Amino acid sequence: MKDNIVTIDGPSASGKGTLARNISKYLGFEILDSGLLYRVYAYLYNCGVEHSQITKTINQDITFMSDDNGIVVLKEKNNITDELRKESTAKAASKISAIPETRENLLLLQRGFYTPKGLVADGRDMGTVVFPNAKLKIFLNASPEIRAKRRQLELQNRGQEVNMLALIEDIKQRDLKDKTRKLSPLIPAEDSIVIDSSEMTPAEVLSFTKKLTKKEFNK
Ligand code: DC
């Protein structure tokens, strides 16, 4: 028996977050943005929290909430979402995600998001390592240039200006690190369906995915 889970893996800005939000709403499943957990991890570590204390600190001090723009993260009462979405935090998350202790600490925490109602989990290793028994596994890809354009728009909407060439270079560097690290590298699970969203609108990606969920979940 496979688990009631849709995993969506892929590189940054491939459209995973948007697809995860839309498909979780459509199916009525819970959602896990694992990249955000890695960002929270890096943020806390940079604030001086030791690896051994991070799971406890996340459970005690961090709250994940939803609003119209997506997930909002509070540390005690402070909204740290903008800080977490910065490219500097993304880089720190990519670096710390290659440390075995980080991945070990986050493994159980991520699995704890599963409820029998169902879960949509997006990240890099959701289908390969964290939820290998998921019913539907998607690997979403797009060219670095298209992803940089999407990330630029997202950052501009948050009031952050960025240099396009630097962004493309950052994305390529981060891809390389994520794909070549020893632990949980960014690769499609053998039983995943690979979608290249370079030439697709979010609505087209959603509509294609709904055909897959119809088959797997009858929804
Ligand atoms: O999806 P994101 O850009 O928010 O992720 C930030 C970093 O976290 C990414 O560069 C690599 C790491 N990450 C990971 O190693 N495994 C995951 N499942 C999700 C993210």
Side-chain angles (χ1 to χ4, degrees):
M1 250 307 249
K2 296 268 183 186
D3 295 330
N4 253 352
I5 301 177
V6 181
T7 59
I8 306 173
D9 288 308
S12 80
S14 57
K16 298 181 309 255
T18 305
L19 177 61
R21 265 197 309 282
N22 289 334
I23 207 71
S24 67
K25 250 188 232 154
Y26 173 74
L27 293 171
F29 285 9
E30 296 294 335
I31 188 165
L32 163 64
D33 175 351
S34 63
L36 197 56
L37 269 186
Y38 279 89
R39 287 169 188 253
V40 168
Y41 199 110
Y43 173 87
L44 292 174
Y45 188 79
N46 287 343
C47 290
V49 184
E50 300 278 335
H51 281 286
S52 60
Q53 297 303 309
I54 287 194
T55 312
K56 197 173 118 209
T57 309
I58 292 178
N59 285 330
Q60 274 176 4
D61 299 348
I62 301 289
T63 312
F64 296 94
M65 299 184 328
S66 284
D67 78 357
D68 292 343
N69 295 322
I71 303 171
V72 172
V73 185
L74 303 181
K75 179 173 184 276
E76 294 167 313
K77 286 193 175 127
N78 301 320
N79 187 339
I80 57 167
T81 318
D82 284 344
E83 196 57 36
L84 296 176
R85 290 294 178 203
K86 284 185 179 161
E87 279 305 294
S88 52
T89 309
K91 267 191 210 162
S94 178
K95 195 167 162 213
I96 209 162
S97 71
I99 299 173
E101 211 173 344
T102 306
R103 307 206 76 86
E104 237 166 67
N105 284 336
L106 285 184
L107 187 63
L108 288 182
L109 206 75
Q110 293 172 99
R111 289 188 177 150
F113 277 74
Y114 178 65
T115 72
K117 179 179 159 191
L119 179 71
V120 175
D122 86 75
R124 305 292 192 286
D125 59 345
M126 297 297 99
T128 48
V129 176
V130 183
F131 300 111
N133 201 35
K135 225 181 240 174
L136 175 61
K137 298 181 184 178
I138 292 170
F139 192 90
L140 196 56
N141 214 341
S143 73
E145 289 74 16
I146 297 273
R147 289 189 282 126
K149 187 82 211 139
R150 291 176 186 164
R151 181 48 57 88
Q152 186 189 35
L153 282 176
E154 187 193 324
L155 292 171
Q156 277 172 347
N157 286 338
R158 291 179 185 275
Q160 296 171 31
E161 266 314 315
V162 282
N163 173 309
M164 196 54 185
L165 287 179
L167 204 52
I168 294 176
E169 199 42 44
D170 267 6
I171 281 186
K172 285 185 177 167
Q173 285 298 326
R174 198 137 60 89
D175 280 0
L176 187 70
K177 258 196 221 140
D178 290 346
K179 283 179 187 163
T180 54
R181 66 170 177 239
K182 282 215 182 78
L183 272 175
S184 306
L186 172 65
I187 42 163
E190 269 176 23
D191 49 350
S192 67
I193 292 158
V194 179
I195 305 174
D196 185 332
S197 74
S198 300
E199 306 286 327
M200 292 168 88
T201 63
E204 286 168 338
V205 177
L206 179 62
S207 143
F208 181 78
T209 306
K210 280 182 182 171
K211 287 187 191 138
L212 303 175
T213 62
K214 177 91 194 139
K215 197 167 146 244
E216 296 296 342
F217 302 96
N218 210 12
K219 276 187 180 178

